[in-house]
């Protein structure tokens, strides 16, 4: 599920690059990096949870991955939100003009 969302966002952002404006292309590259950096840890942990659940049905090893998956989602969300704030600050500095 997370992987599918990340792939769709990546395809849409990659198709949006035109090569016409380097600032816009740079912004899109940064958004792609933020998207994948935030999505990879919880996706890996959730995948390992499912694999261990089905590979060892009588064992409770999968609970360890299940325990960390929620926390990784929270960390990823906080990382993405903080990155977007920094991104908007950086991008805002490039586009605003001094009124004085």
């Amino acid at each position: 599920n997370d992987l599918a969302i990340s792939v769709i966002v990546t395809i849409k952002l990659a198709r949006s690059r035109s090569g016409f404006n380097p600032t816009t292309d740079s912004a899109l590259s940064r958004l792609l990096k933020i998207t994948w950096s935030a999505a990879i840890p919880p996706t890996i942990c959730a995948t390992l949870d499912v694999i261990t659940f089905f590979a060892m049905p009588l064992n409770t090893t999968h609970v360890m991955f299940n325990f960390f998956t929620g926390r990784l989602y929270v960390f990823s969300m906080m990382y993405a939100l903080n990155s977007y704030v920094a991104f908007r600050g950086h991008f805002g500095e490039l586009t605003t003009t001094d009124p004085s």
Side-chain angles (χ1 to χ4, degrees):
N1 199 13
D2 299 328
L3 188 60
I5 292 170
S6 296
V7 168
I8 291 169
V9 169
T10 300
I11 291 170
K12 291 292 187 181
L13 288 176
R15 287 183 182 170
S16 298
R17 284 196 242 181
S18 63
F20 181 70
N21 188 348
T23 304
T24 304
D25 289 345
S26 173
L28 289 173
S29 294
R30 289 181 76 176
L31 284 173
L32 283 169
K33 288 177 188 173
I34 292 169
T35 300
W36 281 101
S37 296
I40 287 175
T43 300
I44 290 172
C45 194
T47 304
L48 290 173
D49 181 25
V50 170
I51 289 170
T52 55
F53 178 76
F54 286 115
M56 298 179 279
L58 301 177
N59 197 342
T60 58
T61 306
H62 72 92
V63 174
M64 177 183 66
F65 294 112
N66 198 0
F67 178 75
F68 288 113
T69 301
R71 284 158 179 75
L72 286 173
Y73 276 118
V74 171
F75 292 149
S76 294
M77 182 184 69
M78 295 304 293
Y79 171 76
L81 290 174
N82 286 330
S83 296
Y84 288 134
V85 169
F87 172 77
R88 286 184 67 189
H90 176 71
F91 194 66
E93 291 172 8
L94 296 175
T95 59
T96 58
T97 57
D98 189 19
S100 54

